[in-house]
Amino acid sequence: MAPDLTCDLLGLRLRNPIVLASGVLGTSAALLTRAARAGAGAVTSKSCGPAPRAGHPNPVAVDWGYGIINAIGLSNPGAEEEARMLAEARAGLAPLGVPLIASIFAGTSAEYGMVARVLAGAGPDLIEVNISCPNVADEFGTPFAADAQSAAEVTEAVKAAVGTVPISVKLAPNVPSVGRIARAVVEAGADAITA
C-alpha cells in the first residue's frame, strides 16, 4: 500500500508536497501539465514581470560539479501574454487536480501590484511574489528581500491587488536577518513564505 502523501497548502489540497519550482519549465501549458502528470503536487510558472524581457545572453547556466548555477535574467513574455499562458495551463491542470502557482517579479511595489492583478485574472491558485532576485529595477540593485520595509511594501501592494488569491513571498537566504524580513511580510499580509 502506497503511503498517503496528500497535504494542505493554504486550503489547497496537494496529492504530495512536491512543488515544481519557478523557472524550471517556464509557463507552457504542455510542460506544466507534463510535470503534473509526472507526479508534482503543484506547479509554479516561471517568474513574470510587467513587460517582455529577453534576459541574459547564453550561456545562462553552468554545471559546477555539485549543481547548476544560473543567471537567466528573468526572461518572460510580459504580464498580458503570461496571463494568457497561465489560463491555458490552468485549463490543462484542473482535470488533474494539480494547483497552479503564478510567480511574479517587478521593479517597484506599484509594478508588483499591477502584475499580480493581471495574472490573478488568469485564475492561479496562489501567487508567488519573487522579491529575491536582484536584477529587477537595476541590474545590481538591492533586492526587495534584503530590506524589511521594502519587502512589506511589495507584499501590501500585491495583497491589495489580488483580493482573495493567496500569496507566498519568496525570500532570499543571503540577508543578515531572514527572520526579520519574514515577520515583516507576514505582518503585511503574506499568507505563506517561499524559502
Side-chain angles (χ1 to χ4, degrees), residues 83-166:
R84 185 197 65 71
M85 295 170 71
L86 286 171
E88 187 178 319
R90 179 88 174 110
L93 294 167
L96 302 173
V98 174
L100 173 62
I101 302 168
S103 182
I104 65 170
F105 74 89
T108 67
S109 296
E111 285 180 352
Y112 268 101
M114 182 277 292
V115 174
R117 187 175 357 330
V118 171
L119 297 191
D125 296 290
L126 185 133
I127 293 181
E128 177 183 83
V129 184
N130 180 359
I131 63 171
S132 67
C133 287
N135 50 355
V136 287
D138 75 57
E139 195 64 19
F140 300 103
T142 301
F144 292 99
D147 177 75
Q149 182 178 342
S150 295
E153 288 171 6
V154 167
T155 303
E156 289 170 352
V158 171
K159 208 51 184 162
V162 300
T164 61
V165 178

Side-chain angles (χ1 to χ4, degrees), residues 4-19 41-42 97 99 101 125-126 166 168 191-193:
D4 179 9
L5 298 177
T6 58
C7 59
D8 178 83
L9 174 65
L10 301 174
L12 301 171
R13 192 75 173 153
L14 279 62
R15 60 186 173 195
N16 63 60
I18 299 171
V19 177
I101 302 168
D125 296 290
L126 185 133
S168 180
D191 299 290
I193 299 294

